[in-house]
């Protein structure tokens, strides 16, 4: 079954900016800046940002928190009809959580050449062997989402360098 | 790099029986009976069972709880050197969480022909494009692990039938 987007470009960019606000929250606490929101009928029903270092939890990804909050909001593990926005292409775990929650449409910002499984290394979200698949669109505000990550890692390298030279 | 198992068959079966005890806890509360444990240096450091219906959370899989508890136990998102045992072949989400937590060895009981991604539909755990990969072995106490699921679904069908006929 061919899946289609039900959103305008303006809507896609609006919600990706909301995901970027979540990524900002991660950056402020020295976490890799990745953020996500889940949207249902035009309303944000779940938000999340990366908290891996702070929580020391391997699964503490932005998308997982956004899906968890969305499930709480609707009172169901089924997020049928929902859209998920995330600033970076999802990894296998988060792609899998999107399938399990039956999210209808997935929009991501920057592509992840090292671990992205929503089109780059593979596309888990459109593999018809699973019992659900989603519409997927990458590259929403791609430059801005990618820049957040670039800036974060540059600043991290500079801090490490300063520490090394004692400045 | 070739990964190898560091466990004897007796050890594998011992820990799989512990995972089955977790699956029993799920069955008792009418959840699909799937259980998991994480082991480090011979000690169980995390346990979990499926709680999807009870929590109405898409990501409430046995492996996720076991990994979460294991991360809490060691105080780190890195579970290097750890072994994970689960009664059913993991889905993409749980396979991904195993990669992210850097679990060293994964042992599962029954194969999942519909959604298993540790060898059946694909093997996410040995894909060298990701930044971690694991030793994977399926079929540990396979018949017993599979029987738990068969019994559960048979009982569910009988209950539905009784409800339909009013008996």
């Amino acid at each position: 079954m061919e899946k289609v987007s039900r959103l305008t470009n303006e809507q896609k960019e609006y919600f990706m900016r909301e995901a970027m606000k979540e990524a900002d929250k991660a950056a402020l606490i020295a976490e890799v800046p990745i953020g996500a929101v889940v949207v249902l009928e035009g309303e944000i029903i779940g938000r999340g940002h990366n908290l891996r270092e702070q929580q020391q939890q391997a699964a503490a990804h932005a998308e997982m928190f956004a899906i968890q909050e969305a499930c709480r909001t609707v009172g169901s593990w089924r997020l049928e009809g929902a859209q998920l926005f995330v600033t970076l292409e999802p990894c296998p775990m988060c792609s899998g959580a999107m399938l399990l929650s039956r999210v209808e449409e997935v929009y991501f910002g920057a592509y992840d050449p090292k671990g992205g499984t929503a089109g780059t290394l593979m596309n888990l979200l459109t593999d018809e062997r699973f019992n659900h698949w989603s519409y997927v669109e990458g590259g929403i505000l791609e430059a801005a989402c990618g820049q957040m990550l670039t800036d974060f890692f540059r600043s991290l390298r500079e801090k490490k360098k300063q520490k090394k030279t004692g400045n």
Side-chain angles (χ1 to χ4, degrees), chain A:
Chain A
M1 190 178 69
E2 188 70 29
K3 298 264 182 178
V4 292
S5 173
R6 293 169 301 156
L7 300 180
T8 64
N9 285 342
E10 287 69 27
Q11 287 172 315
K12 291 174 198 171
E13 293 186 3
Y14 172 80
F15 290 119
M16 190 57 78
R17 261 181 231 111
E18 291 296 314
M20 288 174 70
K21 286 182 193 169
E22 285 298 313
D24 275 332
K25 292 181 196 169
L28 276 173
I29 51 170
E31 294 275 1
V32 177
I34 304 166
V37 295
V38 175
V39 176
L40 186 66
E41 293 166 8
E43 299 289 330
I44 293 174
I45 59 167
R47 315 182 68 103
H49 55 275
N50 174 34
L51 287 172
R52 186 177 70 168
E53 300 302 325
Q54 188 149 96
Q55 295 197 348
Q56 287 297 315
Q57 283 289 344
H61 281 194
E63 301 96 310
M64 301 301 282
F65 293 115
I67 288 171
Q68 192 173 44
E69 191 175 274
C71 288
R72 269 202 306 271
T73 304
V74 301
S76 170
W77 59 263
R78 293 174 186 85
L79 301 178
E80 279 148 4
Q83 290 119 0
L84 188 144
F85 291 79
V86 56
T87 56
L88 181 68
E89 186 179 355
C91 73
M93 175 185 71
C94 294
S95 304
M98 291 170 204
L99 291 178
L100 290 169
S101 62
R102 303 190 184 169
V103 161
E104 192 76 18
E105 300 164 38
V106 173
Y107 300 91
F108 64 86
Y111 288 82
D112 183 357
K114 288 184 185 168
T117 54
T120 295
L121 297 186
M122 62 186 76
N123 198 333
L124 291 170
L125 292 164
T126 57
D127 188 326
E128 299 194 8
R129 294 174 300 171
F130 297 119
N131 73 344
H132 177 78
W133 53 98
S134 306
Y135 171 82
V136 183
E137 190 176 329
I140 313 291
L141 300 179
E142 181 181 359
C145 289
Q147 195 61 48
M148 292 182 85
L149 289 160
T150 309
D151 290 348
F152 177 82
F153 287 112
R154 182 183 298 133
S155 151
L156 203 69
R157 276 194 304 273
E158 278 166 13
K159 273 179 202 154
K160 274 187 188 166
K161 212 172 153 186
Q162 281 171 4
K163 218 176 166 185
K164 227 176 175 177
T165 59
N167 293 316

